[in-house]
Amino acid sequence: MNFSSKLLEDAVNEFGKLPGIGQKTALRLVLYLLNKEQSEVAQFGNTLIKLKSEIKNCVVCHNISDFDTCSICTAVKREKEVICVVEDTRDVMAIENTNQYFGVYHVLGGLISPMDGIGPSDLHVETLVERVKNGDVKEIILALSANMEGDTTLFYLHKKLKDFNIPITTIARGIAFGGELEYADEVTLGRSIVTRVPYENTLIK
Amino acid sequence: MNFSSKLLEDAVNEFGKLPGIGQKTALRLVLYLLNKEQSEVAQFGNTLIKLKSEIKNCVVCHNISDFDTCSICTAVKREKEVICVVEDTRDVMAIENTNQYFGVYHVLGGLISPMDGIGPSDLHVETLVERVKNGDVKEIILALSANMEGDTTLFYLHKKLKDFNIPITTIARGIAFGGELEYADEVTLGRSIVTRVPYENTLIK
């Protein structure tokens, strides 16, 4: 692209580095910002700078946090004996949005993926083992994605944690709400039959 | 969304204000930035702040510029006697990308649109008239979008400029390259027949 301004070009290039944003979209965003007040744009810029410089990872669960220990780990109402192991912050937010879980989390920071060169040592597995060893843990829920990497990680974590004799559970796989049987894939449908549950258990109490 | 961090929430909200970027995309972008180096994120933020505080509009053509007069208006190679009138900076960039135009521009800053409350006084029309009055202008090219607002503005500008007895032209409307006749709309096809050109003129010399 032919830019009449170096400042414009720099800003477009910065936006263009973001995933899923090409040159044209970047230009549209920058021109949008140019029409905004100076103070608004400055706030945008400063928020980003502040974000990266001040944000921390919780020392207990590795979730993104403003403080050394995150708000979930410090909340008195949460059951500290139940740990839900997830891939990243997005999964924590997704589970929190359900309002169905009241334990704490452990954020792995990824999944085991030999293809991408990510092994167990790149994830927060050791600290999880420490938490289980030292804490009064009653249940470990492995809430990982139902794909190859998720299953590999599931298998590895189970091997690491099974000797503690603590119940290890995984979130249920099955037909999603609103999903129709005839369009479900065979693996999901098959698994949902094998792991069928008593009807009474599905009723909200 | 349930954010575990105020800093994260602020950054997601800032990105979420941009056109076409929802909460989920904003979160994805912020998490992407969080994985980058501190210096890269700071550069992003500072580029935006600098963009808005330092960028200028060219005093001659109103195009976005780093200096008081833009690089096109100051270039000795450009024909100052030909002025191409466009809606905004994006159009200047689009025409510059063709490498087919060697005159200068005049950026209106929008199109007349009574629906959006934009009248001629909101656009840089007076400065265009001044340029034509004071300068040695040989041709005015009106390169505006082929929609209602573009046609309204075209009509208005023609009325304003016709008394100077300078050739006023508009960019050709017709079937785009790669376009098939049977799929072209009637208006475009009809106009392309009415404004047909000698075959010799279409050959690149």
Side-chain angles (χ1 to χ4, degrees):
Chain A
M1 271 199 261
N2 259 306
F3 291 94
S4 59
S5 154
K6 180 83 175 60
L7 291 165
L8 185 69
E9 186 172 0
D10 286 346
V12 169
N13 286 339
E14 288 295 332
F15 268 107
K17 286 180 195 167
L18 296 175
I21 293 190
Q23 285 274 90
K24 287 217 168 178
T25 307
L27 178 62
R28 194 162 52 86
L29 297 180
V30 171
L31 292 178
Y32 172 85
L33 282 178
L34 267 182
N35 280 329
K36 292 278 142 193
E37 290 298 315
Q38 162 93 49
S39 61
E40 282 184 64
V41 180
Q43 191 191 322
F44 193 146
N46 286 323
T47 304
L48 291 185
I49 297 170
K50 207 174 152 193
L51 169 80
K52 183 64 190 175
S53 61
E54 294 187 13
I55 215 158
K56 297 181 173 78
N57 284 318
C58 173
V59 291
V60 180
C61 71
H62 306 289
N63 189 16
I64 285 172
S65 165
D66 292 353
F67 310 101
D68 288 333
T69 311
C70 78
S71 54
I72 296 172
C73 286
T74 49
V76 280
K77 278 191 175 174
R78 311 289 299 220
E79 302 170 37
K80 306 288 185 306
E81 305 83 34
V82 182
I83 298 177
C84 179
V85 181
V86 294
E87 180 184 348
D88 61 21
T89 302
R90 257 175 295 192
D91 298 334
V92 173
M93 288 170 64
I95 295 175
E96 284 297 289
N97 281 336
T98 66
N99 288 319
Q100 297 287 320
Y101 179 66
F102 309 101
V104 292
Y105 294 92
H106 190 88
V107 178
L108 291 174
L111 294 174
I112 296 172
S113 170
M115 290 277 281
D116 302 314
I118 303 173
S121 58
D122 300 312
L123 310 178
H124 300 298
V125 175
E126 283 311 310
T127 48
L128 173 63
V129 175
E130 285 300 311
R131 279 178 82 179
V132 175
K133 202 182 278 174
N134 302 333
D136 183 23
V137 179
K138 286 193 185 135
E139 182 180 357
I140 301 163
I141 304 170
L142 303 176
L144 304 175
S145 293
N147 53 20
M148 178 94 96
E149 290 79 17
D151 283 348
T152 310
T153 314
L154 210 60
F155 181 77
Y156 179 82
L157 289 178
H158 182 256
K159 215 178 70 179
K160 273 268 183 187
L161 297 169
K162 66 172 185 228
D163 293 337
F164 292 107
N165 285 318
I166 294 166
I168 299 173
T169 56
T170 71
I171 51 172
R173 312 277 184 223
I175 310 294
F177 280 91
E180 296 190 31
L181 275 205
E182 59 184 301
Y183 298 122
D185 62 292
E186 293 85 355
V187 180
T188 304
L189 188 54
R191 189 88 79 93
S192 75
I193 292 171
V194 172
T195 61
R196 62 191 177 280
V197 290
Y199 175 62
E200 295 82 41
N201 291 8
T202 64
L203 303 172
I204 293 170
K205 282 148 202 165
Chain B
M1 270 198 261
N2 258 306
F3 290 96
S4 58
S5 153
K6 180 81 175 63
L7 292 165
L8 185 70
E9 187 173 358
D10 286 346
V12 169
N13 286 340
E14 287 295 334
F15 269 107
K17 286 180 196 166
L18 297 174
I21 294 190
Q23 284 274 88
K24 287 217 167 180
T25 307
L27 179 62
R28 193 163 54 85
L29 297 178
V30 171
L31 291 177
Y32 172 85
L33 282 177
L34 268 182
N35 280 330
K36 292 278 143 194
E37 290 297 315
Q38 160 93 51
S39 61
E40 282 184 65
V41 180
Q43 192 191 320
F44 192 146
N46 286 324
T47 304
L48 291 186
I49 297 169
K50 206 174 151 191
L51 167 79
K52 182 64 191 178
S53 60
E54 294 187 13
I55 214 159
K56 298 181 173 78
N57 283 318
C58 172
V59 291
V60 180
C61 71
H62 305 289
N63 191 13
I64 286 172
S65 165
D66 292 354
F67 311 101
D68 287 335
T69 312
C70 78
S71 54
I72 296 173
C73 286
T74 49
V76 280
K77 278 190 175 175
R78 309 291 299 223
E79 301 169 38
K80 305 291 186 299
E81 305 82 36
V82 182
I83 298 177
C84 179
V85 180
V86 294
E87 180 185 347
D88 60 21
T89 303
R90 258 175 293 192
D91 298 333
V92 173
M93 290 170 63
I95 295 174
E96 284 299 287
N97 281 336
T98 66
N99 289 319
Q100 296 288 322
Y101 179 66
F102 309 101
V104 291
Y105 294 92
H106 189 89
V107 178
L108 292 175
L111 294 175
I112 296 173
S113 171
M115 290 278 282
D116 302 316
I118 303 172
S121 58
D122 300 313
L123 309 178
H124 299 298
V125 175
E126 281 312 309
T127 48
L128 173 63
V129 175
E130 285 300 309
R131 279 178 82 178
V132 176
K133 202 181 279 176
N134 302 332
D136 182 24
V137 179
K138 286 193 186 134
E139 183 181 356
I140 301 164
I141 304 170
L142 302 176
L144 304 176
S145 294
N147 52 21
M148 177 95 96
E149 290 80 18
D151 283 347
T152 311
T153 314
L154 210 61
F155 181 78
Y156 179 83
L157 289 178
H158 182 257
K159 214 177 68 180
K160 272 268 183 186
L161 298 168
K162 66 172 188 236
D163 294 337
F164 292 107
N165 285 320
I166 296 165
I168 299 173
T169 56
T170 71
I171 52 172
R173 311 276 183 222
I175 309 294
F177 280 91
E180 296 189 33
L181 275 206
E182 59 185 301
Y183 298 121
D185 63 289
E186 292 87 355
V187 180
T188 304
L189 188 55
R191 189 89 78 94
S192 76
I193 293 172
V194 173
T195 61
R196 62 192 177 276
V197 291
Y199 175 66
E200 296 81 42
N201 293 6
T202 65
L203 303 172
I204 292 169
K205 282 149 201 163

